[in-house]
Amino acid sequence: MTPEQSCREAFVEASSFLEKCGVYEPQNNARLLLEHVLGVYGAQYYMMQPEPFPSEHRSRWEDAVTRKAAGEPAQYIIGSQEFYGLPFEVTPAVLIPRPETELLVEAVLREADRVFPDGAPLAVDIGTGSGAIAVTMASLRPRWQVGAGDLSGAALQVAARNAAANGVQIDFREGDLLAPFAGARVDILVSNPPYIPAADIAGLQQEVRDHEPRMALDGGPDGLAPYRIMLEQLALLPAPPQIIGFELGQGQARDIAALLETAGHWPEIIIVPDLAGIERHVLGVRTSEQVTKM
């Protein structure tokens, strides 16, 4: 990087460098990093393009681009990721929230408004990670009681900071899947658990494989182990939740739907595709009228 470079030239140089290093979406990553380093976004970012690159930011910029070239996710370098329009801190202790998970939240909210139109259900997010699902539910439905669990204490610390930053109250509990909520009434259970078959992890993108927590990726031999365990752990609760919602991997939807059908607690099984048409989420729903008939 030469001292007389403009911000635009720094962006072009970084994009070219990242592309040569095999980075996915090099221009998008370069822009994310440049916005972060300069502290400007939107119209301000474009207004800065012809300006000389600020010398006081040179070291941070070069460090950020070097880390990105080595495969580190931009979100970890920046330290944040937006989810459902809300800001979330992310660290290597948590999985980076994905846009497709927003569709799971939307589906759960839609069914909950139908099943609990006048109530204040207790919703629990299992494997909360950054807290994206739990914090978003609590923010969009302030009457709800929201709990969240994770096996990782470090992840729960990040999630707790995100809850505080977004002004919501969440009951965080550490432990294995549903175990921390044993004996608690749970009306809505939501989870985006690890679902990558263990043998497939080595073939994941470098950013994911080498930097995101393996605990949040490894779903056992076929990727379905966490779902089976959670369905077995329903026995720890006074009654099965009226709504259960899972995110899952490509090709797993029919297997998860079959597991929910076999459990027999939810007369309605709903499969929700993502924006690419991939069956990405499965919900089980039992209305109050259906509760009385069972």
PDB file of all heavy atoms in Angstrom, residues 83-84 98-113 125 131-141 144 188 190 192 245-247 272 281 283:
ATOM      1  N   PHE A  83     -28.139  -9.294  12.434  1.00  0.00           N
ATOM      2  CA  PHE A  83     -29.118 -10.371  12.289  1.00  0.00           C
ATOM      3  C   PHE A  83     -30.494  -9.776  12.540  1.00  0.00           C
ATOM      4  O   PHE A  83     -30.739  -9.167  13.577  1.00  0.00           O
ATOM      5  CB  PHE A  83     -28.832 -11.493  13.294  1.00  0.00           C
ATOM      6  CG  PHE A  83     -29.772 -12.671  13.190  1.00  0.00           C
ATOM      7  CD1 PHE A  83     -29.529 -13.695  12.274  1.00  0.00           C
ATOM      8  CD2 PHE A  83     -30.902 -12.767  13.991  1.00  0.00           C
ATOM      9  CE1 PHE A  83     -30.384 -14.780  12.176  1.00  0.00           C
ATOM     10  CE2 PHE A  83     -31.770 -13.841  13.893  1.00  0.00           C
ATOM     11  CZ  PHE A  83     -31.506 -14.852  12.985  1.00  0.00           C
ATOM     12  N   TYR A  84     -31.374  -9.914  11.577  1.00  0.00           N
ATOM     13  CA  TYR A  84     -32.744  -9.390  11.659  1.00  0.00           C
ATOM     14  C   TYR A  84     -32.741  -7.890  11.989  1.00  0.00           C
ATOM     15  O   TYR A  84     -33.584  -7.394  12.744  1.00  0.00           O
ATOM     16  CB  TYR A  84     -33.557 -10.175  12.702  1.00  0.00           C
ATOM     17  CG  TYR A  84     -34.978 -10.463  12.265  1.00  0.00           C
ATOM     18  CD1 TYR A  84     -35.342 -11.725  11.806  1.00  0.00           C
ATOM     19  CD2 TYR A  84     -35.946  -9.467  12.293  1.00  0.00           C
ATOM     20  CE1 TYR A  84     -36.636 -11.987  11.396  1.00  0.00           C
ATOM     21  CE2 TYR A  84     -37.245  -9.719  11.879  1.00  0.00           C
ATOM     22  CZ  TYR A  84     -37.582 -10.986  11.432  1.00  0.00           C
ATOM     23  OH  TYR A  84     -38.870 -11.238  11.023  1.00  0.00           O
ATOM     24  N   ARG A  98     -26.343 -16.645  10.400  1.00  0.00           N
ATOM     25  CA  ARG A  98     -26.569 -16.680   8.956  1.00  0.00           C
ATOM     26  C   ARG A  98     -27.929 -16.084   8.606  1.00  0.00           C
ATOM     27  O   ARG A  98     -28.886 -16.195   9.383  1.00  0.00           O
ATOM     28  CB  ARG A  98     -26.531 -18.122   8.461  1.00  0.00           C
ATOM     29  CG  ARG A  98     -25.188 -18.612   7.938  1.00  0.00           C
ATOM     30  CD  ARG A  98     -24.117 -18.674   8.969  1.00  0.00           C
ATOM     31  NE  ARG A  98     -22.924 -19.359   8.435  1.00  0.00           N
ATOM     32  CZ  ARG A  98     -21.837 -19.581   9.143  1.00  0.00           C
ATOM     33  NH1 ARG A  98     -21.761 -19.202  10.407  1.00  0.00           N
ATOM     34  NH2 ARG A  98     -20.801 -20.203   8.595  1.00  0.00           N
ATOM     35  N   PRO A  99     -28.036 -15.499   7.413  1.00  0.00           N
ATOM     36  CA  PRO A  99     -29.318 -14.903   6.995  1.00  0.00           C
ATOM     37  C   PRO A  99     -30.461 -15.906   6.955  1.00  0.00           C
ATOM     38  O   PRO A  99     -31.608 -15.551   7.255  1.00  0.00           O
ATOM     39  CB  PRO A  99     -29.014 -14.363   5.593  1.00  0.00           C
ATOM     40  CG  PRO A  99     -27.547 -14.151   5.576  1.00  0.00           C
ATOM     41  CD  PRO A  99     -26.969 -15.231   6.437  1.00  0.00           C
ATOM     42  N   GLU A 100     -30.172 -17.180   6.590  1.00  0.00           N
ATOM     43  CA  GLU A 100     -31.260 -18.153   6.488  1.00  0.00           C
ATOM     44  C   GLU A 100     -31.916 -18.428   7.840  1.00  0.00           C
ATOM     45  O   GLU A 100     -33.083 -18.821   7.902  1.00  0.00           O
ATOM     46  CB  GLU A 100     -30.769 -19.466   5.866  1.00  0.00           C
ATOM     47  CG  GLU A 100     -29.624 -20.143   6.589  1.00  0.00           C
ATOM     48  CD  GLU A 100     -28.281 -19.784   5.995  1.00  0.00           C
ATOM     49  OE1 GLU A 100     -28.153 -18.684   5.399  1.00  0.00           O
ATOM     50  OE2 GLU A 100     -27.350 -20.595   6.124  1.00  0.00           O
ATOM     51  N   THR A 101     -31.179 -18.201   8.930  1.00  0.00           N
ATOM     52  CA  THR A 101     -31.758 -18.422  10.252  1.00  0.00           C
ATOM     53  C   THR A 101     -32.845 -17.402  10.550  1.00  0.00           C
ATOM     54  O   THR A 101     -33.734 -17.651  11.370  1.00  0.00           O
ATOM     55  CB  THR A 101     -30.657 -18.394  11.319  1.00  0.00           C
ATOM     56  OG1 THR A 101     -29.616 -19.318  10.950  1.00  0.00           O
ATOM     57  CG2 THR A 101     -31.193 -18.816  12.684  1.00  0.00           C
ATOM     58  N   GLU A 102     -32.790 -16.249   9.899  1.00  0.00           N
ATOM     59  CA  GLU A 102     -33.861 -15.267  10.064  1.00  0.00           C
ATOM     60  C   GLU A 102     -35.204 -15.860   9.631  1.00  0.00           C
ATOM     61  O   GLU A 102     -36.254 -15.530  10.206  1.00  0.00           O
ATOM     62  CB  GLU A 102     -33.557 -14.009   9.256  1.00  0.00           C
ATOM     63  CG  GLU A 102     -32.321 -13.258   9.729  1.00  0.00           C
ATOM     64  CD  GLU A 102     -32.038 -12.023   8.898  1.00  0.00           C
ATOM     65  OE1 GLU A 102     -32.776 -11.782   7.916  1.00  0.00           O
ATOM     66  OE2 GLU A 102     -31.099 -11.276   9.240  1.00  0.00           O
ATOM     67  N   LEU A 103     -35.179 -16.744   8.641  1.00  0.00           N
ATOM     68  CA  LEU A 103     -36.412 -17.381   8.175  1.00  0.00           C
ATOM     69  C   LEU A 103     -36.988 -18.326   9.223  1.00  0.00           C
ATOM     70  O   LEU A 103     -38.205 -18.493   9.320  1.00  0.00           O
ATOM     71  CB  LEU A 103     -36.157 -18.131   6.866  1.00  0.00           C
ATOM     72  CG  LEU A 103     -35.648 -17.281   5.701  1.00  0.00           C
ATOM     73  CD1 LEU A 103     -35.364 -18.159   4.492  1.00  0.00           C
ATOM     74  CD2 LEU A 103     -36.653 -16.197   5.347  1.00  0.00           C
ATOM     75  N   LEU A 104     -36.113 -18.945  10.018  1.00  0.00           N
ATOM     76  CA  LEU A 104     -36.593 -19.784  11.120  1.00  0.00           C
ATOM     77  C   LEU A 104     -37.314 -18.925  12.149  1.00  0.00           C
ATOM     78  O   LEU A 104     -38.396 -19.283  12.634  1.00  0.00           O
ATOM     79  CB  LEU A 104     -35.419 -20.521  11.768  1.00  0.00           C
ATOM     80  CG  LEU A 104     -35.745 -21.321  13.040  1.00  0.00           C
ATOM     81  CD1 LEU A 104     -36.761 -22.421  12.755  1.00  0.00           C
ATOM     82  CD2 LEU A 104     -34.461 -21.911  13.634  1.00  0.00           C
ATOM     83  N   VAL A 105     -36.710 -17.790  12.488  1.00  0.00           N
ATOM     84  CA  VAL A 105     -37.352 -16.876  13.441  1.00  0.00           C
ATOM     85  C   VAL A 105     -38.703 -16.428  12.912  1.00  0.00           C
ATOM     86  O   VAL A 105     -39.706 -16.432  13.649  1.00  0.00           O
ATOM     87  CB  VAL A 105     -36.444 -15.663  13.720  1.00  0.00           C
ATOM     88  CG1 VAL A 105     -37.172 -14.636  14.582  1.00  0.00           C
ATOM     89  CG2 VAL A 105     -35.148 -16.096  14.399  1.00  0.00           C
ATOM     90  N   GLU A 106     -38.768 -16.055  11.637  1.00  0.00           N
ATOM     91  CA  GLU A 106     -40.036 -15.612  11.050  1.00  0.00           C
ATOM     92  C   GLU A 106     -41.095 -16.704  11.129  1.00  0.00           C
ATOM     93  O   GLU A 106     -42.262 -16.432  11.467  1.00  0.00           O
ATOM     94  CB  GLU A 106     -39.820 -15.209   9.590  1.00  0.00           C
ATOM     95  CG  GLU A 106     -39.088 -13.901   9.402  1.00  0.00           C
ATOM     96  CD  GLU A 106     -38.941 -13.539   7.937  1.00  0.00           C
ATOM     97  OE1 GLU A 106     -39.384 -14.329   7.075  1.00  0.00           O
ATOM     98  OE2 GLU A 106     -38.379 -12.461   7.652  1.00  0.00           O
ATOM     99  N   ALA A 107     -40.705 -17.940  10.818  1.00  0.00           N
ATOM    100  CA  ALA A 107     -41.666 -19.038  10.838  1.00  0.00           C
ATOM    101  C   ALA A 107     -42.173 -19.307  12.245  1.00  0.00           C
ATOM    102  O   ALA A 107     -43.375 -19.538  12.455  1.00  0.00           O
ATOM    103  CB  ALA A 107     -41.020 -20.294  10.247  1.00  0.00           C
ATOM    104  N   VAL A 108     -41.276 -19.263  13.221  1.00  0.00           N
ATOM    105  CA  VAL A 108     -41.679 -19.494  14.613  1.00  0.00           C
ATOM    106  C   VAL A 108     -42.607 -18.383  15.091  1.00  0.00           C
ATOM    107  O   VAL A 108     -43.635 -18.651  15.746  1.00  0.00           O
ATOM    108  CB  VAL A 108     -40.437 -19.609  15.518  1.00  0.00           C
ATOM    109  CG1 VAL A 108     -40.833 -19.561  16.993  1.00  0.00           C
ATOM    110  CG2 VAL A 108     -39.675 -20.895  15.219  1.00  0.00           C
ATOM    111  N   LEU A 109     -42.285 -17.135  14.774  1.00  0.00           N
ATOM    112  CA  LEU A 109     -43.142 -16.023  15.184  1.00  0.00           C
ATOM    113  C   LEU A 109     -44.529 -16.138  14.548  1.00  0.00           C
ATOM    114  O   LEU A 109     -45.551 -15.897  15.212  1.00  0.00           O
ATOM    115  CB  LEU A 109     -42.507 -14.686  14.788  1.00  0.00           C
ATOM    116  CG  LEU A 109     -41.202 -14.300  15.482  1.00  0.00           C
ATOM    117  CD1 LEU A 109     -40.682 -12.994  14.913  1.00  0.00           C
ATOM    118  CD2 LEU A 109     -41.390 -14.196  16.984  1.00  0.00           C
ATOM    119  N   ARG A 110     -44.559 -16.526  13.285  1.00  0.00           N
ATOM    120  CA  ARG A 110     -45.840 -16.653  12.581  1.00  0.00           C
ATOM    121  C   ARG A 110     -46.717 -17.721  13.238  1.00  0.00           C
ATOM    122  O   ARG A 110     -47.914 -17.491  13.504  1.00  0.00           O
ATOM    123  CB  ARG A 110     -45.578 -17.012  11.124  1.00  0.00           C
ATOM    124  CG  ARG A 110     -46.840 -17.156  10.287  1.00  0.00           C
ATOM    125  CD  ARG A 110     -46.512 -17.325   8.825  1.00  0.00           C
ATOM    126  NE  ARG A 110     -45.679 -18.512   8.561  1.00  0.00           N
ATOM    127  CZ  ARG A 110     -44.416 -18.463   8.177  1.00  0.00           C
ATOM    128  NH1 ARG A 110     -43.800 -17.301   8.014  1.00  0.00           N
ATOM    129  NH2 ARG A 110     -43.745 -19.575   7.953  1.00  0.00           N
ATOM    130  N   GLU A 111     -46.140 -18.876  13.537  1.00  0.00           N
ATOM    131  CA  GLU A 111     -46.925 -19.938  14.156  1.00  0.00           C
ATOM    132  C   GLU A 111     -47.285 -19.598  15.596  1.00  0.00           C
ATOM    133  O   GLU A 111     -48.385 -19.918  16.064  1.00  0.00           O
ATOM    134  CB  GLU A 111     -46.152 -21.260  14.094  1.00  0.00           C
ATOM    135  CG  GLU A 111     -45.914 -21.768  12.674  1.00  0.00           C
ATOM    136  CD  GLU A 111     -47.201 -21.895  11.878  1.00  0.00           C
ATOM    137  OE1 GLU A 111     -48.208 -22.376  12.442  1.00  0.00           O
ATOM    138  OE2 GLU A 111     -47.200 -21.512  10.695  1.00  0.00           O
ATOM    139  N   ALA A 112     -46.386 -18.936  16.298  1.00  0.00           N
ATOM    140  CA  ALA A 112     -46.669 -18.567  17.687  1.00  0.00           C
ATOM    141  C   ALA A 112     -47.800 -17.559  17.785  1.00  0.00           C
ATOM    142  O   ALA A 112     -48.625 -17.622  18.700  1.00  0.00           O
ATOM    143  CB  ALA A 112     -45.405 -18.016  18.338  1.00  0.00           C
ATOM    144  N   ASP A 113     -47.858 -16.629  16.845  1.00  0.00           N
ATOM    145  CA  ASP A 113     -48.953 -15.658  16.855  1.00  0.00           C
ATOM    146  C   ASP A 113     -50.291 -16.356  16.635  1.00  0.00           C
ATOM    147  O   ASP A 113     -51.333 -15.885  17.105  1.00  0.00           O
ATOM    148  CB  ASP A 113     -48.722 -14.609  15.769  1.00  0.00           C
ATOM    149  CG  ASP A 113     -47.588 -13.654  16.104  1.00  0.00           C
ATOM    150  OD1 ASP A 113     -47.165 -13.619  17.271  1.00  0.00           O
ATOM    151  OD2 ASP A 113     -47.112 -12.955  15.189  1.00  0.00           O
ATOM    152  N   ASP A 125     -34.377 -21.081  23.337  1.00  0.00           N
ATOM    153  CA  ASP A 125     -33.454 -21.245  22.211  1.00  0.00           C
ATOM    154  C   ASP A 125     -32.313 -22.146  22.670  1.00  0.00           C
ATOM    155  O   ASP A 125     -31.534 -21.768  23.557  1.00  0.00           O
ATOM    156  CB  ASP A 125     -32.929 -19.875  21.777  1.00  0.00           C
ATOM    157  CG  ASP A 125     -31.821 -19.955  20.736  1.00  0.00           C
ATOM    158  OD1 ASP A 125     -31.767 -20.960  20.004  1.00  0.00           O
ATOM    159  OD2 ASP A 125     -31.029 -18.998  20.656  1.00  0.00           O
ATOM    160  N   GLY A 131     -26.645 -15.812  20.642  1.00  0.00           N
ATOM    161  CA  GLY A 131     -27.931 -15.357  21.161  1.00  0.00           C
ATOM    162  C   GLY A 131     -28.827 -14.757  20.100  1.00  0.00           C
ATOM    163  O   GLY A 131     -29.865 -14.172  20.428  1.00  0.00           O
ATOM    164  N   ALA A 132     -28.472 -14.919  18.823  1.00  0.00           N
ATOM    165  CA  ALA A 132     -29.206 -14.244  17.750  1.00  0.00           C
ATOM    166  C   ALA A 132     -30.694 -14.582  17.764  1.00  0.00           C
ATOM    167  O   ALA A 132     -31.541 -13.684  17.679  1.00  0.00           O
ATOM    168  CB  ALA A 132     -28.594 -14.596  16.391  1.00  0.00           C
ATOM    169  N   ILE A 133     -31.025 -15.873  17.862  1.00  0.00           N
ATOM    170  CA  ILE A 133     -32.431 -16.266  17.833  1.00  0.00           C
ATOM    171  C   ILE A 133     -33.151 -15.766  19.076  1.00  0.00           C
ATOM    172  O   ILE A 133     -34.224 -15.149  19.001  1.00  0.00           O
ATOM    173  CB  ILE A 133     -32.567 -17.793  17.696  1.00  0.00           C
ATOM    174  CG1 ILE A 133     -32.068 -18.258  16.321  1.00  0.00           C
ATOM    175  CG2 ILE A 133     -34.019 -18.229  17.914  1.00  0.00           C
ATOM    176  CD1 ILE A 133     -32.058 -19.767  16.147  1.00  0.00           C
ATOM    177  N   ALA A 134     -32.582 -16.027  20.252  1.00  0.00           N
ATOM    178  CA  ALA A 134     -33.233 -15.652  21.502  1.00  0.00           C
ATOM    179  C   ALA A 134     -33.411 -14.144  21.612  1.00  0.00           C
ATOM    180  O   ALA A 134     -34.495 -13.656  21.978  1.00  0.00           O
ATOM    181  CB  ALA A 134     -32.412 -16.181  22.681  1.00  0.00           C
ATOM    182  N   VAL A 135     -32.370 -13.393  21.307  1.00  0.00           N
ATOM    183  CA  VAL A 135     -32.443 -11.932  21.424  1.00  0.00           C
ATOM    184  C   VAL A 135     -33.453 -11.363  20.437  1.00  0.00           C
ATOM    185  O   VAL A 135     -34.220 -10.449  20.773  1.00  0.00           O
ATOM    186  CB  VAL A 135     -31.051 -11.311  21.198  1.00  0.00           C
ATOM    187  CG1 VAL A 135     -31.148  -9.791  21.054  1.00  0.00           C
ATOM    188  CG2 VAL A 135     -30.118 -11.670  22.344  1.00  0.00           C
ATOM    189  N   THR A 136     -33.491 -11.912  19.240  1.00  0.00           N
ATOM    190  CA  THR A 136     -34.443 -11.422  18.244  1.00  0.00           C
ATOM    191  C   THR A 136     -35.873 -11.710  18.669  1.00  0.00           C
ATOM    192  O   THR A 136     -36.755 -10.841  18.554  1.00  0.00           O
ATOM    193  CB  THR A 136     -34.150 -12.057  16.876  1.00  0.00           C
ATOM    194  OG1 THR A 136     -32.813 -11.741  16.488  1.00  0.00           O
ATOM    195  CG2 THR A 136     -35.110 -11.532  15.815  1.00  0.00           C
ATOM    196  N   MET A 137     -36.132 -12.914  19.173  1.00  0.00           N
ATOM    197  CA  MET A 137     -37.485 -13.226  19.646  1.00  0.00           C
ATOM    198  C   MET A 137     -37.887 -12.297  20.776  1.00  0.00           C
ATOM    199  O   MET A 137     -39.014 -11.765  20.799  1.00  0.00           O
ATOM    200  CB  MET A 137     -37.565 -14.684  20.092  1.00  0.00           C
ATOM    201  CG  MET A 137     -37.473 -15.696  18.981  1.00  0.00           C
ATOM    202  SD  MET A 137     -37.935 -17.397  19.483  1.00  0.00           S
ATOM    203  CE  MET A 137     -36.735 -17.718  20.796  1.00  0.00           C
ATOM    204  N   ALA A 138     -36.983 -12.080  21.731  1.00  0.00           N
ATOM    205  CA  ALA A 138     -37.300 -11.220  22.864  1.00  0.00           C
ATOM    206  C   ALA A 138     -37.520  -9.781  22.425  1.00  0.00           C
ATOM    207  O   ALA A 138     -38.355  -9.069  22.983  1.00  0.00           O
ATOM    208  CB  ALA A 138     -36.179 -11.297  23.897  1.00  0.00           C
ATOM    209  N   SER A 139     -36.779  -9.354  21.410  1.00  0.00           N
ATOM    210  CA  SER A 139     -36.921  -7.983  20.921  1.00  0.00           C
ATOM    211  C   SER A 139     -38.229  -7.780  20.166  1.00  0.00           C
ATOM    212  O   SER A 139     -38.908  -6.760  20.341  1.00  0.00           O
ATOM    213  CB  SER A 139     -35.732  -7.648  20.012  1.00  0.00           C
ATOM    214  OG  SER A 139     -35.844  -6.357  19.466  1.00  0.00           O
ATOM    215  N   LEU A 140     -38.597  -8.762  19.338  1.00  0.00           N
ATOM    216  CA  LEU A 140     -39.804  -8.635  18.516  1.00  0.00           C
ATOM    217  C   LEU A 140     -41.082  -8.983  19.269  1.00  0.00           C
ATOM    218  O   LEU A 140     -42.163  -8.534  18.882  1.00  0.00           O
ATOM    219  CB  LEU A 140     -39.675  -9.528  17.284  1.00  0.00           C
ATOM    220  CG  LEU A 140     -38.559  -9.158  16.302  1.00  0.00           C
ATOM    221  CD1 LEU A 140     -38.486 -10.171  15.170  1.00  0.00           C
ATOM    222  CD2 LEU A 140     -38.767  -7.756  15.751  1.00  0.00           C
ATOM    223  N   ARG A 141     -40.970  -9.781  20.320  1.00  0.00           N
ATOM    224  CA  ARG A 141     -42.140 -10.162  21.122  1.00  0.00           C
ATOM    225  C   ARG A 141     -41.841  -9.910  22.598  1.00  0.00           C
ATOM    226  O   ARG A 141     -41.554 -10.818  23.373  1.00  0.00           O
ATOM    227  CB  ARG A 141     -42.481 -11.652  20.903  1.00  0.00           C
ATOM    228  CG  ARG A 141     -42.917 -12.001  19.478  1.00  0.00           C
ATOM    229  CD  ARG A 141     -44.233 -11.352  19.108  1.00  0.00           C
ATOM    230  NE  ARG A 141     -44.683 -11.770  17.777  1.00  0.00           N
ATOM    231  CZ  ARG A 141     -44.327 -11.172  16.640  1.00  0.00           C
ATOM    232  NH1 ARG A 141     -43.516 -10.112  16.663  1.00  0.00           N
ATOM    233  NH2 ARG A 141     -44.773 -11.615  15.477  1.00  0.00           N
ATOM    234  N   TRP A 144     -43.122 -12.048  25.569  1.00  0.00           N
ATOM    235  CA  TRP A 144     -42.666 -13.420  25.764  1.00  0.00           C
ATOM    236  C   TRP A 144     -41.634 -13.499  26.881  1.00  0.00           C
ATOM    237  O   TRP A 144     -40.867 -12.566  27.122  1.00  0.00           O
ATOM    238  CB  TRP A 144     -42.019 -13.949  24.494  1.00  0.00           C
ATOM    239  CG  TRP A 144     -42.950 -14.217  23.352  1.00  0.00           C
ATOM    240  CD1 TRP A 144     -44.236 -13.783  23.202  1.00  0.00           C
ATOM    241  CD2 TRP A 144     -42.636 -14.969  22.172  1.00  0.00           C
ATOM    242  NE1 TRP A 144     -44.747 -14.213  22.005  1.00  0.00           N
ATOM    243  CE2 TRP A 144     -43.789 -14.942  21.353  1.00  0.00           C
ATOM    244  CE3 TRP A 144     -41.511 -15.651  21.729  1.00  0.00           C
ATOM    245  CZ2 TRP A 144     -43.831 -15.594  20.121  1.00  0.00           C
ATOM    246  CZ3 TRP A 144     -41.539 -16.286  20.502  1.00  0.00           C
ATOM    247  CH2 TRP A 144     -42.698 -16.267  19.712  1.00  0.00           C
ATOM    248  N   ILE A 188     -42.424 -23.008  23.521  1.00  0.00           N
ATOM    249  CA  ILE A 188     -41.809 -22.933  22.192  1.00  0.00           C
ATOM    250  C   ILE A 188     -40.352 -23.334  22.325  1.00  0.00           C
ATOM    251  O   ILE A 188     -39.612 -22.766  23.147  1.00  0.00           O
ATOM    252  CB  ILE A 188     -41.898 -21.510  21.612  1.00  0.00           C
ATOM    253  CG1 ILE A 188     -43.356 -21.060  21.505  1.00  0.00           C
ATOM    254  CG2 ILE A 188     -41.212 -21.441  20.254  1.00  0.00           C
ATOM    255  CD1 ILE A 188     -43.511 -19.572  21.179  1.00  0.00           C
ATOM    256  N   VAL A 190     -36.904 -23.676  20.105  1.00  0.00           N
ATOM    257  CA  VAL A 190     -36.255 -23.337  18.843  1.00  0.00           C
ATOM    258  C   VAL A 190     -34.786 -23.734  18.941  1.00  0.00           C
ATOM    259  O   VAL A 190     -34.156 -23.533  19.981  1.00  0.00           O
ATOM    260  CB  VAL A 190     -36.351 -21.824  18.532  1.00  0.00           C
ATOM    261  CG1 VAL A 190     -35.864 -21.532  17.123  1.00  0.00           C
ATOM    262  CG2 VAL A 190     -37.772 -21.332  18.718  1.00  0.00           C
ATOM    263  N   ASN A 192     -31.044 -24.138  16.423  1.00  0.00           N
ATOM    264  CA  ASN A 192     -30.192 -24.271  15.237  1.00  0.00           C
ATOM    265  C   ASN A 192     -28.946 -25.012  15.716  1.00  0.00           C
ATOM    266  O   ASN A 192     -27.907 -24.403  15.950  1.00  0.00           O
ATOM    267  CB  ASN A 192     -29.839 -22.896  14.666  1.00  0.00           C
ATOM    268  CG  ASN A 192     -28.913 -22.991  13.472  1.00  0.00           C
ATOM    269  OD1 ASN A 192     -28.755 -24.045  12.870  1.00  0.00           O
ATOM    270  ND2 ASN A 192     -28.267 -21.887  13.139  1.00  0.00           N
ATOM    271  N   GLY A 245     -39.172 -25.787  16.580  1.00  0.00           N
ATOM    272  CA  GLY A 245     -38.644 -25.332  15.304  1.00  0.00           C
ATOM    273  C   GLY A 245     -37.156 -25.595  15.200  1.00  0.00           C
ATOM    274  O   GLY A 245     -36.391 -25.200  16.086  1.00  0.00           O
ATOM    275  N   PHE A 246     -36.748 -26.270  14.150  1.00  0.00           N
ATOM    276  CA  PHE A 246     -35.349 -26.631  13.943  1.00  0.00           C
ATOM    277  C   PHE A 246     -34.813 -26.049  12.635  1.00  0.00           C
ATOM    278  O   PHE A 246     -35.507 -26.055  11.614  1.00  0.00           O
ATOM    279  CB  PHE A 246     -35.188 -28.152  13.854  1.00  0.00           C
ATOM    280  CG  PHE A 246     -35.373 -28.890  15.152  1.00  0.00           C
ATOM    281  CD1 PHE A 246     -36.061 -30.103  15.171  1.00  0.00           C
ATOM    282  CD2 PHE A 246     -34.841 -28.407  16.342  1.00  0.00           C
ATOM    283  CE1 PHE A 246     -36.219 -30.812  16.344  1.00  0.00           C
ATOM    284  CE2 PHE A 246     -35.001 -29.111  17.529  1.00  0.00           C
ATOM    285  CZ  PHE A 246     -35.687 -30.319  17.534  1.00  0.00           C
ATOM    286  N   GLU A 247     -33.559 -25.598  12.658  1.00  0.00           N
ATOM    287  CA  GLU A 247     -32.818 -25.374  11.420  1.00  0.00           C
ATOM    288  C   GLU A 247     -31.980 -26.619  11.162  1.00  0.00           C
ATOM    289  O   GLU A 247     -31.555 -27.300  12.103  1.00  0.00           O
ATOM    290  CB  GLU A 247     -31.922 -24.147  11.516  1.00  0.00           C
ATOM    291  CG  GLU A 247     -31.158 -23.877  10.224  1.00  0.00           C
ATOM    292  CD  GLU A 247     -30.618 -22.475  10.106  1.00  0.00           C
ATOM    293  OE1 GLU A 247     -31.317 -21.518  10.504  1.00  0.00           O
ATOM    294  OE2 GLU A 247     -29.487 -22.325   9.615  1.00  0.00           O
ATOM    295  N   VAL A 272     -40.024 -25.546   5.868  1.00  0.00           N
ATOM    296  CA  VAL A 272     -39.845 -24.181   5.353  1.00  0.00           C
ATOM    297  C   VAL A 272     -38.562 -24.123   4.518  1.00  0.00           C
ATOM    298  O   VAL A 272     -37.478 -24.405   5.034  1.00  0.00           O
ATOM    299  CB  VAL A 272     -39.757 -23.167   6.506  1.00  0.00           C
ATOM    300  CG1 VAL A 272     -39.574 -21.747   5.954  1.00  0.00           C
ATOM    301  CG2 VAL A 272     -40.988 -23.249   7.395  1.00  0.00           C
ATOM    302  N   HIS A 281     -35.768 -25.580   7.248  1.00  0.00           N
ATOM    303  CA  HIS A 281     -36.326 -25.576   8.599  1.00  0.00           C
ATOM    304  C   HIS A 281     -37.519 -26.521   8.683  1.00  0.00           C
ATOM    305  O   HIS A 281     -38.271 -26.657   7.717  1.00  0.00           O
ATOM    306  CB  HIS A 281     -36.769 -24.161   9.003  1.00  0.00           C
ATOM    307  CG  HIS A 281     -35.715 -23.122   8.770  1.00  0.00           C
ATOM    308  ND1 HIS A 281     -35.785 -22.211   7.732  1.00  0.00           N
ATOM    309  CD2 HIS A 281     -34.553 -22.877   9.409  1.00  0.00           C
ATOM    310  CE1 HIS A 281     -34.705 -21.446   7.763  1.00  0.00           C
ATOM    311  NE2 HIS A 281     -33.949 -21.831   8.766  1.00  0.00           N
ATOM    312  N   LEU A 283     -40.789 -27.379  11.388  1.00  0.00           N
ATOM    313  CA  LEU A 283     -41.528 -27.000  12.587  1.00  0.00           C
ATOM    314  C   LEU A 283     -42.580 -28.050  12.901  1.00  0.00           C
ATOM    315  O   LEU A 283     -43.188 -28.628  11.981  1.00  0.00           O
ATOM    316  CB  LEU A 283     -42.236 -25.654  12.398  1.00  0.00           C
ATOM    317  CG  LEU A 283     -41.408 -24.373  12.556  1.00  0.00           C
ATOM    318  CD1 LEU A 283     -40.447 -24.191  11.395  1.00  0.00           C
ATOM    319  CD2 LEU A 283     -42.325 -23.157  12.683  1.00  0.00           C
TER     320      LEU A 283
END
